[in-house]
């Protein structure tokens, strides 16, 4: 579904992505973790080309995203993206946030789009908020709407860039639950997160990245029980005893 | 509406404060302050304008104004009377005379009934006819030839009013352009936007003298009106008015006015050394022979 | 001051046909509104395009927009007006020149010049407001729009501009009022808008204070009404749950 072939990216002198090779199969849920500044957010943003790459190839659903001939807008329509800061459109109601792209990009008619949006809002438990505006919702609610917005394009892949790290602790659970349901429905997912509980419970594979390189990837049980790489060990120790 | 009322109140209060200065006559004011304030223009060539010295006006009207100053000195026995200059525009000249800032304005101000409600006029110092300037090749000889044509005049002048009235009454279908000053009116004529420029004949000669090729242009047409220029002073001040009128009449009577006239209308004048070549009209000769402070419309 | 007040002057005959002075003010106000409104609509359209250009990726389009702004903001309005009225027409093809200068009613050709002038001048100022509004938005907004497959055009149309315009309603209101005040330059090329009619009334009637007082009141009432209108617009588009506007 997604394939990275020796991907490199530089920000000026900084080598953010240093030869990434990775494959994500259809229906697979991959959690990407790593210390801050490791390049994990940059990596996930290259998949739909919110960040460009300097070298290598990224294939999504059989299309090379770095090829100038690829229709990026069409590709992005098939790849849902959920941001750390939700990025809902503040001037539109919850319903319009969800229906805007199906109507404008896919040409769906308004009634069908509304119906679909209400169904998605039910799925994330927010049907009663369809007429509210983003500023009237809590962070957790906004992120659930953002997930519904991503799903409205009926994507083949969903990407999550630290979806819970801007949330108050009591709201993290509701978002993770929605993500878990989504994973169970068979969606292909790539998730950048520090929520190791989610990784342990939901992920098929955990990818550990550091200094722009994948240093370890393993099924969650293996990764948490017996991390091979020294930096992965150190990372996990810090996560488990955050105050030290 | 409340704003309007407040604005009006403010205006009325402001005028009330300015009033006490006027309780005394202008002569008393000059005597007690030791200064006479002369109003002048910056570009009314050759009547009152600034040329080489930006602090001191020159011109035909100004020379006559200085005759009045001499008379005031003599009358008040103040040989060292100071003269202060105050530049006025067509919009400010009346209020500045009224509120006491300017004691005497001599420039190119037409004496008419509307203005007589606000200020007093000296005996006439010049008389013009309102006529046309056009290209020699335009084929235009007189006002009836202007039917359906673009004609320019300067905004706020009597010519503008006459032209508009003529257009309405005789249904001539002229397009009238009101330019902001004489220079711009001439530019409209020169650039082909208008076929003719209606204005006071003396001012038309002034513009013609400034043109790149003065020979291309001609002043033509039967005068549509005659206008008498006068010096402006405050109303209801007979003592000062008498000094002003007497000084001007003496200048007319002695023939000195002819010398002043020739200096400004028949010889090169600053700043460019232009010669207007504008001989004294019969109408003005009559005015000099028989001075009056009436407007042309009253005669 | 022995000024002769006469507030009935506006109902007295001007001496031209059956006109009274008040007619001049009415017609002047009509021209002022016709100049300002048309120029404003054009300025808003041109300025928005330029403002978007300044925020686009790449180099060429932003540079063009920047050059435009620098040029039109730094040349005095009056100079621009004289260029549009006296100089530019001289570079038109011969036939167009004759048409513009002679066949066209002089009021129409002055009107065209002043509308073009004010529209282009104000567009530079609108451009800067629009640019500021777009740049004030969080970067995540365009990323979110692009991520669902919007083109750049759709991103601006549906996501960025609706928010940016809400932010800049107050500065745009002041530009809107400015264009009404600036429209008085039209009097300098012979278009008889409100200020020109005021001056003419002052000259003809010698009731200078009355004329300018009425003009002041008209400009004031006009600006207050426009401000009230814009406040209404601002309230109408306010986003629920947010104070003031989008951030």
């Amino acid at each position: 579904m997604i394939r990275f072939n020796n991907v490199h990216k530089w920000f000026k002198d900084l080598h953010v992505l240093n030869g990434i090779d990775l494959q994500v199969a259809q229906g697979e849920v991959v959690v990407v973790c790593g210390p801050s500044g490791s390049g994990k957010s940059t990596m996930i943003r290259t998949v739909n080309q919110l960040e460009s790459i300097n070298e290598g190839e990224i294939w999504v659903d059989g299309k090379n995203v770095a090829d100038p001939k690829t229709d990026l807008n069409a590709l992005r329509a098939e790849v849902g993206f959920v941001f750390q800061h939700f990025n809902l459109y503040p001037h539109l109601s919850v319903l319009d946030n969800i229906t805007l792209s199906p109507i404008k990009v896919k040409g769906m008619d308004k009634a069908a789009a509304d119906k679909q949006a209400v169904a998605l809002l039910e799925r994330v438990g927010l049907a009663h908020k369809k007429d509210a505006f983003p500023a009237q919702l809590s962070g957790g609610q906004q992120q659930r709407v953002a997930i519904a917005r991503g799903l409205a394009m009926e994507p083949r892949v969903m990407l999550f860039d630290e979806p819970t790290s801007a949330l108050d602790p009591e709201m993290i659970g509701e978002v993770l639950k929605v993500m878990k349901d989504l994973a169970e429905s068979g969606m292909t997912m790539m998730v950048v997160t520090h929520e190791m509980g989610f990784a342990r419970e939901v992920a098929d594979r955990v990818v550990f990245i550091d200094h722009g390189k994948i240093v370890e990837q393993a099924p969650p049980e293996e990764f948490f029980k017996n991390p091979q790489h020294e930096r992965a060990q150190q990372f996990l120790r810090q996560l488990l005893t955050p105050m030290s | 509406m409340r704003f309007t009322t407040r604005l009006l109140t403010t205006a009325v209060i402001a005028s009330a404060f300015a009033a006490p200065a006027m309780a005394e006559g202008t002569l008393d004011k000059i005597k007690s302050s030791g200064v006479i304030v002369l109003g002048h223009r910056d570009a009314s060539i050759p009547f009152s304008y600034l040329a080489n010295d930006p602090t001191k006006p020159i011109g035909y009207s100004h020379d006559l104004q200085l005759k009045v100053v001499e008379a005031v000195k003599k009358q008040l026995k103040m040989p060292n009377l100071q003269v202060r200059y105050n530049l006025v525009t067509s919009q400010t000249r009346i209020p500045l005379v009224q509120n006491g800032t300017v004691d005497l304005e001599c420039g190119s101000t037409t004496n008419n009934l509307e203005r007589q409600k606000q200020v007093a006029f000296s005996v006439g110092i010049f008389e013009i006819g309102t006529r046309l300037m056009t290209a020699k090749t335009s084929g235009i000889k007189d006002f009836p030839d202007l039917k359906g044509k673009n004609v320019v005049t300067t905004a706020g002048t009597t010519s503008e009013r006459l032209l508009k009235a003529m257009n309405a009454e005789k249904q001539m279908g002229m397009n009238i352009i009101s330019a902001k000053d004489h220079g711009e009116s001439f530019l409209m004529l020169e650039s082909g936007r208008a076929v003719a420029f209606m204005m006071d004949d003396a001012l038309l000669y002034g513009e013609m003298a400034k043109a790149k090729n003065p020979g291309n242009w001609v002043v033509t047409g039967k005068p549509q009106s005659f206008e008498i220029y006068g010096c402006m002073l405050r109303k209801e001040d007979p003592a000062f008015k008498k000094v002003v009128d007497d000084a001007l009449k003496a200048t007319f009577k002695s023939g000195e006015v002819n010398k002043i006239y020739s200096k400004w209308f028949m010889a090169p004048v600053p700043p460019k050394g232009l010669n207007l070549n504008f001989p004294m009209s019969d109408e003005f000769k009559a005015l000099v022979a028989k001075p009056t402070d009436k407007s042309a419309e009253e005669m | 001051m022995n000024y002769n007040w006469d507030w009935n002057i506006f109902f007295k005959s001007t001496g031209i046909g059956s006109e009274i002075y008040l007619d001049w003010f009415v017609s002047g106000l009509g021209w002022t509104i016709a100049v300002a409104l048309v120029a404003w609509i054009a300025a808003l359209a041109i300025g928005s395009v330029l403002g978007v250009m300044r925020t686009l990726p790449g180099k060429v389009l932003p540079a063009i927009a920047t050059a435009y702004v620098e040029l039109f903001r730094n040349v005095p309005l009056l100079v621009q007006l004289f260029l549009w009225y006296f100089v530019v027409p001289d570079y038109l093809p011969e036939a167009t020149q004759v048409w513009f200068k002679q066949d066209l009613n002089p009021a129409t050709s002055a009107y065209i010049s002043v509308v073009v002038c004010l529209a282009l001048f104000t567009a530079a100022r609108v451009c800067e407001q629009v640019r500021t509004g777009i740049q004030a938005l969080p970067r995540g907004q365009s990323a979110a729009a692009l991520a669902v497959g919007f083109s750049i055009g759709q991103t601006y149309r549906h996501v960025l501009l609706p928010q940016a315009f809400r932010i800049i309603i107050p500065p745009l209101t002041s530009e809107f009022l400015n264009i009404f005040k600036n429209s008085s330059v039209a009097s300098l090329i012979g278009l008889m808008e409100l200020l020109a009619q005021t001056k003419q009334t002052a000259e003809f009637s010698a009731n200078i204070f009355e004329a300018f007082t009425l003009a002041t009141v008209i400009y004031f009432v006009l600006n207050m009404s426009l401000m009230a209108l814009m406040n209404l617009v601002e309230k109408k588009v306010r986003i629920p749950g947010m104070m003031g506007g989008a951030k």
Side-chain angles (χ1 to χ4, degrees), chain B residues 19 98 117 160 184 193, chain C residues 1 3-4 85 188 200 204:
Chain B
Q98 286 176 314
K117 286 186 293 183
E160 186 187 24
E184 198 181 304
R193 284 172 192 264
Chain C
M1 172 160 144
Y3 186 84
N4 223 326
Y85 189 66
L188 299 176
Q200 181 167 258
F204 280 20

Side-chain angles (χ1 to χ4, degrees), chain B residues 3-4 7-8 11-12 14-20 22 90-95 97-99 112 114-118 150 155-158 160-162 164-165 168-169 175-180 184 187-188 191-194 234-236, chain C residues 1-7 9 12 14-17 21 24 78 82 84-87 89-90 100-106 109-110 113 187-192 197 199-200 202-210 212-214 216-217 220:
Chain B
F3 173 78
T4 322
L7 196 82
L8 295 187
V12 169
S15 56
F17 273 112
M22 294 305 93
S90 57
Q91 262 112 47
T92 63
R93 56 189 169 186
I94 291 176
V97 167
Q98 286 176 314
N99 73 12
N112 64 29
E114 285 85 1
R115 290 173 183 159
Q116 283 177 18
K117 286 186 293 183
Q118 306 293 358
N150 292 352
T157 59
T158 316
E160 186 187 24
R161 178 190 297 208
L162 290 170
K164 286 184 171 168
E169 276 157 32
N175 293 313
I176 297 165
I177 311 174
S178 301
K180 77 169 164 49
E184 198 181 304
L187 191 57
M188 299 268 188
S191 68
R193 284 172 192 264
R234 275 175 288 283
K235 282 178 78 159
E236 284 146 30
Chain C
M1 172 160 144
N2 34 18
Y3 186 84
N4 223 326
W5 292 92
D6 180 7
W7 290 103
I9 186 69
K12 291 189 175 161
T14 60
I16 296 170
Y21 286 110
W24 287 3
L78 227 94
F82 277 67
W84 287 113
Y85 189 66
F86 284 114
V87 180
D90 284 356
F100 187 77
K101 288 187 190 169
Q102 286 160 21
D103 299 348
L104 218 53
N105 186 303
S109 67
S113 296
S187 69
L188 299 176
I189 55 168
L191 189 70
M192 296 306 284
Q197 296 285 17
K199 285 185 189 163
Q200 181 167 258
E203 279 295 322
F204 280 20
S205 68
N207 289 100
I208 297 160
F209 291 160
E210 292 88 336
F212 279 94
T213 304
L214 181 60
T216 308
V217 172
F220 184 82

Side-chain angles (χ1 to χ4, degrees), chain B residues 268-285:
Chain B
V269 298
K272 289 187 180 167
L274 308 167
N275 185 339
L276 269 59
N277 278 319
F278 181 61
M280 203 184 268
S281 67
D282 293 340
E283 287 79 19
F284 184 42
K285 279 178 192 157

